[in-house]
Amino acid sequence: MDTSGFETINLGHGSGGELTRNLLDKVIFNTFSNPFLDQKHDGAIIEVHSKIAISTDSFVITPIFFKGGNIGELAVNGTVNDVAMCGAIPKYLSLAFIIEEGLKMEEFTRIVASVKKAADESGVLIITGDTKVVERGKGDKIFINTTGFGQVHPKAAISVHNIKAGDKILVNGYIAQHGMAIMSEREGLEFESDLVSDTTNLNFLVRDLLDAFGEKIKLFRDPTRGGLGTVLHEIANDISKGVFLKEIAIPMEKQVAAACEMLGLDPMYVANEGVFLVVVDPSIETEVLTLMRNHKKGINAALIGEITQEHPNKVVMESLIGGKRIVSPLVGEQLPRIC
């Protein structure tokens, strides 16, 4: 891409002048060209004929490039998934960059290209956004904010208040991959098999589940920061019921388990970026599991537990050897700057 000979981002690129226009025209508008963005307004006008879901998120991950992805595709996938967890079909994204002076232009264009690729794969359009540049030392290379908009699925009745005792809890795949991929890269750890982030879009699998089962799907949640354990505690507290899990049923790669043990981390609290849990009516648990395992984003899906009237507000897990332990709520931050 032509960026007028600049190898790094400088303050002039955020001035609103000619350098800003060059950066926007040659990198942003050229990459994301569509009828909404091509109008180059300060916002976008869209028609809405049904209920919509809106979710916003900011991404401050370090390092910005990691095995399996980078901050650009993470921003798209994370926000697309948040909208999908509402029972909606994502359609549009806003995109805002806060760039630190000195970021290599080549790195910025790689990130922008990854945003475009992830948006295309998710079926969403970038329709508005913003770019700001801060002085060297006042940021950490690049931060991204995204807001997602989607139409609520006509069959969706997603609410924690719909959950009842006996409902089943499933996950679509291996847990803790994203967090351990980031930590292994930060710590310079090497394993027999490289740990790779699981960042991906989940909206098409969510759509298929809603198409098939409608209101019998009680809740979707993606366990990002705080991991699976934190999300399950939130659910238990919100409904004043208990959660019972079987450790042996929770899907996790051996390399991830080894990395967690090496670093003294509990995988139940490690971040995920390609995982969601779903709470369903017990009458459809087998059908849901079959559908998920037949989808490329749910090959390793598993039934991991259920909602119970016992031990309200607590998460109890049956261990591999048959004993039971309380999964305590996470108090602090195990892994900072993970998304």
Side-chain angles (χ1 to χ4, degrees), residues 153 155-158 170 205-218 220 278-281 283-292:
H153 193 287
K155 291 185 178 181
I158 304 301
L170 301 91
L205 176 52
V206 166
R207 180 200 62 195
D208 290 350
L209 287 168
L210 289 170
D211 283 346
F213 305 109
E215 63 184 16
K216 289 187 177 181
I217 302 288
K218 307 295 185 70
F220 293 112
V278 55
V279 181
V280 307
D281 187 280
S283 65
I284 60 168
E285 61 176 279
T286 302
E287 295 170 87
V288 169
L289 190 59
T290 299
L291 187 154
M292 292 171 76

Side-chain angles (χ1 to χ4, degrees), residues 42-324:
D42 284 338
I45 299 172
I46 58 175
E47 291 189 19
V48 178
H49 300 292
S50 65
K51 288 194 297 184
I52 63 170
I54 302 172
S55 181
T56 191
D57 207 348
S58 298
F59 297 83
V60 298
I61 191 169
T62 181
I64 59 174
F65 295 96
F66 47 85
K67 292 176 181 175
N70 63 56
I71 191 172
E73 65 187 274
L74 184 68
V76 173
N77 291 336
T79 303
V80 162
N81 293 344
D82 285 345
V83 172
M85 294 302 104
C86 297
I89 300 167
K91 295 191 68 176
Y92 306 114
L93 287 181
S94 72
L95 174 69
F97 296 108
I98 299 176
I99 311 168
E100 184 185 21
E101 177 188 18
L103 178 71
K104 293 179 180 178
M105 192 68 72
E106 181 270 335
E107 291 183 330
F108 180 60
T109 56
R110 281 173 60 196
I111 289 168
V112 169
S114 293
V115 169
K116 170 63 173 172
K117 183 173 183 290
D120 288 348
E121 290 176 350
S122 301
V124 297
L125 291 177
I126 309 295
I127 61 171
T128 188
D130 186 43
T131 301
K132 293 291 191 298
V133 180
V134 297
E135 298 96 327
R136 193 184 301 268
K138 297 294 179 65
D140 191 358
K141 293 188 176 180
I142 187 169
F143 299 149
I144 300 177
N145 174 270
T146 45
T147 299
F149 304 82
Q151 291 182 306
V152 175
H153 193 287
K155 291 185 178 181
I158 304 301
S159 173
V160 69
H161 302 297
N162 293 335
I163 297 174
K164 298 177 181 178
D167 286 345
K168 303 301 182 180
I169 304 168
L170 301 91
V171 294
N172 68 303
Y174 293 135
I175 71 164
Q177 285 189 210
H178 176 72
M180 296 321 301
I182 301 303
M183 283 305 296
S184 66
E185 195 142 346
R186 286 183 193 171
E187 301 296 328
L189 302 176
E190 294 184 3
F191 298 91
E192 292 182 6
S193 176
D194 287 343
L195 298 179
V196 177
S197 170
D198 63 343
T199 178
T200 191
N201 65 71
L202 301 169
N203 50 311
F204 298 114
L205 176 52
V206 166
R207 180 200 62 195
D208 290 350
L209 287 168
L210 289 170
D211 283 346
F213 305 109
E215 63 184 16
K216 289 187 177 181
I217 302 288
K218 307 295 185 70
L219 191 72
F220 293 112
R221 284 285 173 84
D222 55 341
T224 52
R225 286 179 302 168
L228 185 62
T230 296
V231 166
L232 290 171
H233 266 286
E234 291 172 353
I235 294 171
N237 286 327
D238 286 344
I239 63 176
S240 298
K241 291 182 174 61
V243 170
F244 178 71
L245 305 173
K246 290 192 174 183
E247 185 176 12
I248 196 170
I250 298 174
M252 181 168 50
E253 284 194 325
K254 291 181 180 179
Q255 292 81 7
V256 170
C260 287
E261 185 174 356
M262 180 180 296
L263 295 173
L265 299 173
D266 187 337
M268 289 294 290
Y269 302 107
V270 174
N272 308 273
E273 289 293 347
V275 171
F276 69 93
L277 67 82
V278 55
V279 181
V280 307
D281 187 280
S283 65
I284 60 168
E285 61 176 279
T286 302
E287 295 170 87
V288 169
L289 190 59
T290 299
L291 187 154
M292 292 171 76
R293 287 178 173 173
N294 286 330
H295 194 285
K296 64 180 179 180
K297 302 296 175 71
I299 293 171
N300 298 301
L303 172 65
I304 64 170
E306 65 180 62
I307 305 297
T308 177
Q309 292 285 13
E310 299 176 15
H311 50 78
N313 301 92
K314 291 183 173 61
V315 179
V316 173
M317 183 158 63
E318 183 179 277
S319 70
L320 296 174
I321 59 174
K324 295 179 181 178

